[in-house]
Amino acid sequence: YKRDNGLDFTTKSSNPNLQFGPGSVVECDTIGDRITFIDQDGNEHSAVLFTAVLKYSGYTFVYAMPCSTSEQWSYAIIKMCKFYGGTPEVFRTDNDSAIAIHGNKKLGTKTRIKPDMQAVINHYNMVVDLCPPRRPEIKGSNERTNRTLQQELFADPKYQITGYRFNSYDELNEAIAQDLLRFNNKPRKGNQLSRFAAFEKVEKEHLKDLPLFDPIYKKLFTKTVGKDGYITFNSHHYQVGTSYAEKEVAVEDYLGEKLRLFDSKTLD
């Protein structure tokens, strides 16, 4: 599996479900059920919980998003990298349709992450690893942690009485951060180090340094150039050139003034 996906350089174990070495992989997903909270005016809001787990130490990050889109995932990845203070080699996640473009066997294309999210991941110099369909064990660390988080987050009895009452997503994330601090510092079975202690003692120094600046999110769309060398975007036709005929490109609407085109795979 690792060889076929170009991940040999992270090899620490012959089984991809076992722990890799420090700083090698972060596994990401969302906890299945949305949570609903109520603000001071009685309005209901729903949130999706993005979760990230460093495979070696188990150090966990959770961030509440308004919805699960490539844009929201991109913001969550930026938050995640700042939380860890560095980046691992590989970013592993499901091939969910909200964040991935599914391949077509007839056209010979492979499933890949959406270009706007890929641009953010490239900024942090990580390699994307999309899990195969119906193979949750490939990111088993995240799956197990999510099950535990469903019991650990919002475990305070007050939530049983008042429900989830927050006035904003920022306030919700502040509450999550408090529970997460306790979760990451909790001793594990068999007298193992806590997630945070294992991260601080071993894994932290193996992460790659963060870039000087955070990435600026850009909404990118994928388009296939027609045989005549044109693409259609927002009901208008634009000439790309016949040399790109029948090729896929990533398109950025730059300030509503012009289009920027990139290779959909390399984003060059």
Side-chain angles (χ1 to χ4, degrees), residues 170-189:
D170 287 340
E171 195 172 303
L172 170 60
N173 277 309
E174 288 175 8
I176 289 173
Q178 292 301 313
D179 282 352
L180 196 59
L181 181 65
R182 174 181 52 79
F183 176 77
N184 279 318
N185 281 282
K186 189 176 181 180
R188 289 185 282 185
K189 293 179 181 179

Side-chain angles (χ1 to χ4, degrees), residues 39-83:
D39 64 23
Q40 61 186 1
D41 297 322
N43 299 314
E44 287 192 355
H45 307 269
S46 64
V48 179
L49 298 185
F50 168 94
T51 62
V53 180
L54 287 172
K55 196 161 183 68
Y56 178 82
S57 63
Y59 194 34
T60 300
F61 171 71
V62 181
Y63 179 71
M65 308 182 294
C67 55
S68 182
T69 63
S70 57
E71 180 175 3
Q72 290 299 324
W73 268 70
S74 296
Y75 294 141
I77 292 168
I78 295 170
K79 297 279 188 182
M80 174 196 78
C81 292
K82 296 175 79 170
F83 176 81

Side-chain angles (χ1 to χ4, degrees), residues 152-175:
E152 297 279 348
L153 292 180
F154 308 114
D156 192 313
K158 70 178 182 181
Y159 293 115
Q160 304 298 322
I161 301 172
T162 64
Y164 301 144
R165 293 190 173 274
F166 305 100
N167 292 319
S168 66
Y169 287 94
D170 287 340
E171 195 172 303
L172 170 60
N173 277 309
E174 288 175 8

Side-chain angles (χ1 to χ4, degrees), residues 65-256:
M65 308 182 294
C67 55
S68 182
T69 63
S70 57
E71 180 175 3
Q72 290 299 324
W73 268 70
S74 296
Y75 294 141
I77 292 168
I78 295 170
K79 297 279 188 182
M80 174 196 78
C81 292
K82 296 175 79 170
F83 176 81
Y84 289 139
T87 59
E89 296 285 346
V90 175
F91 177 90
R92 174 178 289 167
T93 185
D94 275 337
N95 56 16
D96 188 89
S97 58
I99 60 174
I101 300 171
H102 291 125
N104 188 312
K105 289 184 178 180
K106 293 182 179 178
L107 300 177
T109 57
K110 291 185 176 182
T111 298
R112 62 198 185 282
I113 210 80
K114 287 187 176 179
D116 46 359
M117 196 168 148
Q118 180 71 63
V120 170
I121 295 170
N122 286 354
H123 184 85
Y124 289 112
N125 196 26
M126 293 186 288
V127 177
V128 174
D129 178 27
L130 289 178
C131 295
R134 295 175 294 281
R135 291 290 303 277
E137 71 275 12
I138 296 296
K139 56 176 183 61
S141 297
N142 186 282
E143 295 286 341
R144 289 190 296 272
T145 301
N146 278 355
R147 288 195 292 270
T148 307
L149 285 172
Q150 288 176 318
Q151 300 172 345
E152 297 279 348
L153 292 180
F154 308 114
D156 192 313
K158 70 178 182 181
Y159 293 115
Q160 304 298 322
I161 301 172
T162 64
Y164 301 144
R165 293 190 173 274
F166 305 100
N167 292 319
S168 66
Y169 287 94
D170 287 340
E171 195 172 303
L172 170 60
N173 277 309
E174 288 175 8
I176 289 173
Q178 292 301 313
D179 282 352
L180 196 59
L181 181 65
R182 174 181 52 79
F183 176 77
N184 279 318
N185 281 282
K186 189 176 181 180
R188 289 185 282 185
K189 293 179 181 179
N191 294 320
Q192 295 184 62
L193 292 173
S194 69
R195 293 169 174 82
F196 178 70
F199 172 78
E200 285 287 317
K201 186 174 181 178
V202 180
E203 187 155 36
K204 185 176 181 179
E205 64 178 295
H206 291 274
L207 296 179
K208 292 179 287 187
D209 292 338
L210 293 177
L212 188 59
F213 300 104
D214 292 343
I216 298 174
Y217 174 78
K218 301 175 182 178
K219 182 62 180 175
L220 299 175
F221 304 86
T222 54
K223 294 288 181 179
T224 300
V225 181
K227 293 181 180 180
D228 58 359
Y230 282 77
I231 61 169
T232 300
F233 187 79
N234 288 342
S235 301
H236 295 283
H237 301 289
Y238 299 91
Q239 185 179 23
V240 178
T242 54
S243 59
Y244 293 94
E246 300 185 309
K247 293 182 179 178
E248 190 178 72
V249 294
V251 182
E252 176 195 356
D253 183 357
Y254 184 68
L255 302 177

